[in-house]
Amino acid sequence: MEDIEALAFHPTASSLLATTDGTCLRSWDMRADPQRATLTMAIECAHSARIRALDYNPNLPYIIATAADDGYVRIWDTRSPSAPLAEIANHSHWVYSVAFNPNHDQLLLSAGADGLVNLESVVSVSSAHVVAAHAAAEDNRDDKSNATSDSGDESDASDIGSGQATDGLVAQFDDHETSVYAARWSHADPWIFASLSFNGRMVINSVPREEKYKILL
């Protein structure tokens, strides 16, 4: 195992954490022995280059986002880690930072050596999608006959969030002139985030109003 590059604690269990070393993503359990963690999952080639950052989805803690020198952000389900749930390729250079919004987990920040801070919508791997899917399933059971429900379930699931937030790049912020090493959400205001670049410049931005309305309405 190479030297650990990044780590993050599970958002609800202090004895669980995830780490990265080289191109590998690993999760650990310290409940049996805090001095010797037990390896519970390993993705040996989560990226094709060194992984620089990771973050847990705060509402779905089996979901982890990773960012790497290959320019990709990938999202993983640790219950079934054979392939990423999503792959985001909106950076042209190394990606140093990735962070889920602590309140609205369909929003994801990333920042990298290309000087960009990207705000992504990842609603398909968020708790909002899970809630909508359950609601749609309940409606189908209550309002449709079995035959109609069988033919309509798939289309209803695929149309969840129609006219609302969907996956994709929401906004790209190019306020920095050098590599951006960190992008973090405010814990006091879920719509505000800050970024910090190599030259020491800090910039504060906010989620565009249109995207905010898609989430809230």
Side-chain angles (χ1 to χ4, degrees):
M1 189 173 84
E2 298 184 32
D3 291 341
I4 292 175
E5 177 79 23
L7 65 84
F9 272 98
H10 189 285
T12 60
S14 61
S15 60
L16 305 178
L17 74 157
T19 63
T20 71
D21 58 277
T23 64
C24 185
L25 170 65
R26 307 179 196 269
S27 63
W28 307 86
D29 188 337
M30 300 184 295
R31 284 174 291 189
D33 183 357
Q35 302 302 317
R36 186 179 294 275
T38 301
L39 180 67
T40 58
M41 182 213 67
I43 307 173
E44 295 294 341
C45 294
H47 288 263
S48 62
R50 178 173 290 275
I51 302 172
R52 296 291 183 176
L54 77 159
D55 195 32
Y56 279 96
N57 182 317
N59 298 326
L60 300 177
Y62 51 84
I63 302 293
I64 294 179
T66 55
D69 284 354
D70 57 10
Y72 288 98
V73 171
R74 288 180 176 153
I75 301 176
W76 305 90
D77 185 335
T78 58
R79 304 169 303 175
S80 180
S82 58
L85 292 177
E87 182 177 86
I88 302 169
N90 289 324
H91 284 280
S92 61
H93 214 294
W94 305 331
V95 187
Y96 289 128
S97 180
V98 65
F100 281 101
N101 187 293
N103 297 93
H104 305 289
D105 58 334
Q106 60 267 67
L107 296 176
L108 185 73
L109 283 177
S110 63
D114 54 5
L116 297 175
V117 177
N118 289 343
L119 175 61
E120 305 279 351
S121 174
V122 291
V123 66
S124 66
V125 294
S126 72
S127 57
H129 182 78
V130 173
V131 170
H134 283 305
E138 289 294 330
D139 288 344
N140 284 336
R141 281 194 290 269
D142 293 342
D143 300 337
K144 298 180 180 180
S145 66
N146 288 336
T148 304
S149 179
D150 289 342
S151 63
D153 280 350
E154 185 174 348
S155 61
D156 283 347
S158 64
D159 288 342
I160 290 170
S162 177
Q164 301 178 4
T166 57
D167 285 0
L169 181 65
V170 174
Q172 196 167 68
F173 302 86
D174 59 356
D175 307 287
H176 297 277
E177 297 177 353
T178 58
S179 299
V180 184
Y181 282 104
R184 293 291 182 268
W185 292 100
S186 166
H187 285 268
D189 185 331
W191 310 112
I192 299 294
F193 57 91
S195 55
L196 179 67
S197 58
F198 176 76
N199 62 2
R201 186 184 187 204
M202 183 182 70
V203 177
I204 297 176
N205 278 301
S206 61
V207 176
R209 181 179 300 178
E210 296 80 4
E211 190 68 18
K212 185 189 305 186
Y213 289 159
K214 288 179 184 178
I215 293 171
L216 294 177
L217 299 179

